[in-house]
Amino acid sequence: EMLGSFGSVQLAMLSLLKTCTGGADWTGYLDSLVLAGSLYASCFILFLGFYHIAVINILTGIFVDKAMKLAVPDRDHRALKLKKDDEETRKELLELFSEFDTRGTGMVTVDAFEKHLKAKNGKLQAQLGLLGLPVNGAANFFRVVEVLCRDGRLCNEKEANILSLVDSCMQLKGQASNLHLQCVAGDLLHLAKMIQEQNELCEMLNKKLATGPTGDFAYVDVISPNC
């Protein structure tokens, strides 16, 4: 029996293939090798252990890794999904804020927003929470919306246009990214530059006023409105 299984290199390779693929029970081959010596039996056991622990796991990991990469959508699909999610969120917010407009003017008052913010069903709180907007007070939130809207006719501290309110929520959703921080830093630098220019202009005006004739301002080239 041992010669029939391991009598040549070809037969030995075929027997090992059978033990690895389930074509034959490896215990029968082990019993035959034990008769030939413990060294052969030990090598056979080591081969089986190496194959099942190392080779099978490595091959399985390769196929699983490739399958996971194929399952991940590409950039275009992710961009389309993100756009679709934003559109659905915008639609939900528009329907939600439209319920607050009991007068039919297309505006949401701060009192109505505060009322629904403190409602027992917590619908508004839950919707804003999904966007990452932990709004604690309507008044503070409307001030932020007024800054983002930049149009006093559409948004102010007392009421806000529904579409502007939705746009503001979409701008504020999620956590601040590095891009947002860099934009804030750029705005601050621009503001600091403007303040410095105004200060220099005021200093120049003060010097001209101090050296010129009393009461005569006709020679002043530029007068800053902030001075």
Side-chain angles (χ1 to χ4, degrees), residues 62-193:
I62 293 173
F63 285 111
V64 170
D65 182 64
K66 289 185 177 181
M68 292 294 292
K69 290 181 178 179
L70 292 176
V72 175
D74 56 15
R75 292 183 178 180
D76 294 337
H77 285 86
R78 282 182 290 178
L80 291 175
K81 185 178 183 304
L82 182 61
K83 183 180 179 181
K84 184 178 179 180
D85 292 342
D86 287 344
E87 291 177 352
E88 293 179 354
T89 302
R90 185 182 295 274
K91 182 180 178 181
E92 293 175 359
L93 288 175
L94 185 61
E95 294 176 354
L96 180 63
F97 293 151
S98 297
E99 297 176 2
F100 304 167
D101 180 21
T102 57
R103 302 174 299 173
T105 59
M107 305 289 287
V108 176
T109 63
V110 65
D111 296 331
F113 194 89
E114 184 72 25
K115 177 182 177 182
H116 287 84
L117 194 64
K118 296 181 179 179
K120 293 183 179 180
N121 57 15
K123 185 178 180 180
L124 179 58
Q125 282 280 16
Q127 187 67 39
L128 295 177
L130 291 175
L131 296 176
L133 300 175
V135 179
N136 297 322
N140 293 331
F141 182 67
F142 269 59
R143 293 190 188 97
V144 176
V145 172
E146 181 182 5
V147 174
L148 294 175
C149 181
R150 297 181 180 179
D151 190 343
R153 297 172 299 175
L154 298 177
C155 303
N156 51 61
E157 294 184 358
K158 296 182 179 180
E159 60 181 5
N161 178 266
I162 293 178
L163 294 178
S164 300
L165 197 59
V166 172
D167 292 337
S168 299
C169 290
M170 296 301 295
Q171 292 181 47
L172 294 171
K173 73 170 186 174
Q175 298 179 353
S177 64
N178 186 44
L179 177 61
H180 295 135
L181 297 178
Q182 293 299 327
C183 290
V184 172
D187 292 340
L188 292 176
L189 289 175
H190 181 66
L191 181 60
K193 183 178 180 181

Side-chain angles (χ1 to χ4, degrees), residues 30 33-47:
L30 179 62
L33 291 173
V34 168
L35 298 177
S38 58
L39 177 62
Y40 297 104
S42 300
C43 292
F44 181 70
I45 293 174
L46 289 175
F47 167 77

